[in-house]
Amino acid sequence: MASGSSEKSRPSMFWPLAAVAVPLISLLAKLHVIHPEKLPVRGPFVLAPNHYSEFDPLVVALAVWKLGRLPRFMAKESLFKVPVLGWVLHKTGMVPVARSSSRTAAADTIKQSRALVAAGRGVIVYPEGSLTRDPELWPMRGKSGAVRLAMAGDIPLIPMAQWGTQEIMGRYEKGLSLWPLRKPVTLIIGDPVDISDLVGKEHDQAAVTIATERLMTAITELLEQLRSEKAPATRWNPHDHGQRETGRLDS
């Protein structure tokens, strides 16, 4: 996996982190990326993967790193206040996100979006906001963080699906399955979701709902390709099943 981007070649805090993390992750996961050319070589992007394992952010980060881009995530605002961790998050350009849907949070989205465009950076946002609650690990209903960010800055919204990570660390499991090493994990990157008719409407809830549904449909279709099966006709909604969503990153 290679890219023409020079972003990774510039000295940054990612270098010492990658020196440690890349060999360890590669020992556990053997990645295969389908359509790597669909991740922009340069310029801003919002990458939106499915999420069903606490380990899959490391898999996604490794794939993005190998494709020549720096894997920056949207992370909970509170994490930036943790000693040492907060410093690392700031130095690596991670994007803080407020847990509320207030006007201030919306303004922050616009500010972050403009900053991404100005710096030509990409960011990884999990649109489900937490690990899927679907019993069969299909994507559940989406939240608005990824699409609002993309709509506010007219940034390419790139869907991604990954499958195989559950063999390394299952949903809600605390330990890793270490043997056999280098378990196969396949990732597929899709075409940008067309939200051209919705750009600038990040404050319009109806427009945000339409954009979110388009994104979740694109992610689900990619995962159907990887799994060679059809997803349920109705997307899982935790509230309909009396479930409380934990670890949410957006609203």
Side-chain angles (χ1 to χ4, degrees), residues 6-16 65 70 72 91-92 121:
S6 61
E7 183 179 36
K8 199 175 74 172
S9 65
R10 294 192 292 269
S12 71
M13 269 295 295
F14 281 96
W15 283 16
W65 173 262
L70 300 185
R72 299 182 176 93
K91 289 297 183 180
T92 52
R121 293 177 170 180

Side-chain angles (χ1 to χ4, degrees), residues 78-97:
S78 59
L79 295 177
F80 286 76
K81 300 176 183 179
V82 178
V84 181
L85 175 61
W87 182 82
V88 172
L89 293 176
H90 278 295
K91 289 297 183 180
T92 52
M94 302 299 172
V95 179
V97 58

Side-chain angles (χ1 to χ4, degrees), residues 21-41:
V22 170
L24 292 177
I25 301 170
S26 299
L27 190 64
L28 296 173
K30 182 179 181 181
L31 303 191
H32 172 55
V33 181
I34 300 173
H35 298 312
E37 74 282 358
K38 293 184 178 181
L39 185 73
V41 171

Side-chain angles (χ1 to χ4, degrees), residues 202-218:
E202 64 276 2
H203 299 303
D204 182 338
Q205 187 56 51
V208 169
T209 299
I210 291 170
T212 302
E213 181 57 28
R214 289 179 188 173
L215 173 60
M216 297 313 300
T217 296

Side-chain angles (χ1 to χ4, degrees), residues 103 105-107 109-110 148 151-152 200-208:
R103 181 171 297 181
T109 296
I110 296 175
R148 286 184 189 276
M151 291 166 70
K201 297 182 179 180
E202 64 276 2
H203 299 303
D204 182 338
Q205 187 56 51
V208 169

Side-chain angles (χ1 to χ4, degrees), residues 94-113:
M94 302 299 172
V95 179
V97 58
R99 297 290 293 275
S100 69
S101 56
S102 65
R103 181 171 297 181
T104 301
D108 285 344
T109 296
I110 296 175
K111 180 180 178 181
Q112 293 161 6
S113 191

Side-chain angles (χ1 to χ4, degrees), residues 72-76 95-97 112 123-125 145-146 149 249-250:
R72 299 182 176 93
F73 285 85
M74 182 177 278
K76 291 185 293 186
V95 179
V97 58
Q112 293 161 6
V123 64
I124 303 163
V125 185
L149 200 59
L249 294 184
D250 63 351

Side-chain angles (χ1 to χ4, degrees), residues 127-198:
E128 295 167 88
S130 64
L131 299 180
T132 182
R133 303 301 293 272
D134 184 279
E136 301 301 323
L137 304 183
W138 291 103
M140 62 178 179
R141 70 164 189 171
K143 294 182 172 37
S144 64
V147 298
R148 286 184 189 276
L149 200 59
M151 291 166 70
D154 193 12
I155 301 172
L157 180 60
I158 313 294
M160 170 189 269
Q162 51 85 28
W163 191 243
T165 311
Q166 73 279 8
E167 300 299 331
I168 300 170
M169 186 178 193
R171 183 179 55 177
Y172 305 129
E173 291 182 6
K174 295 182 179 180
L176 296 172
S177 174
L178 301 177
W179 193 260
L181 297 175
R182 292 181 57 76
K183 294 181 178 69
V185 176
T186 305
L187 305 93
I188 182 170
I189 302 172
D191 292 316
V193 177
D194 185 5
I195 55 170
S196 57
D197 57 324
L198 305 173

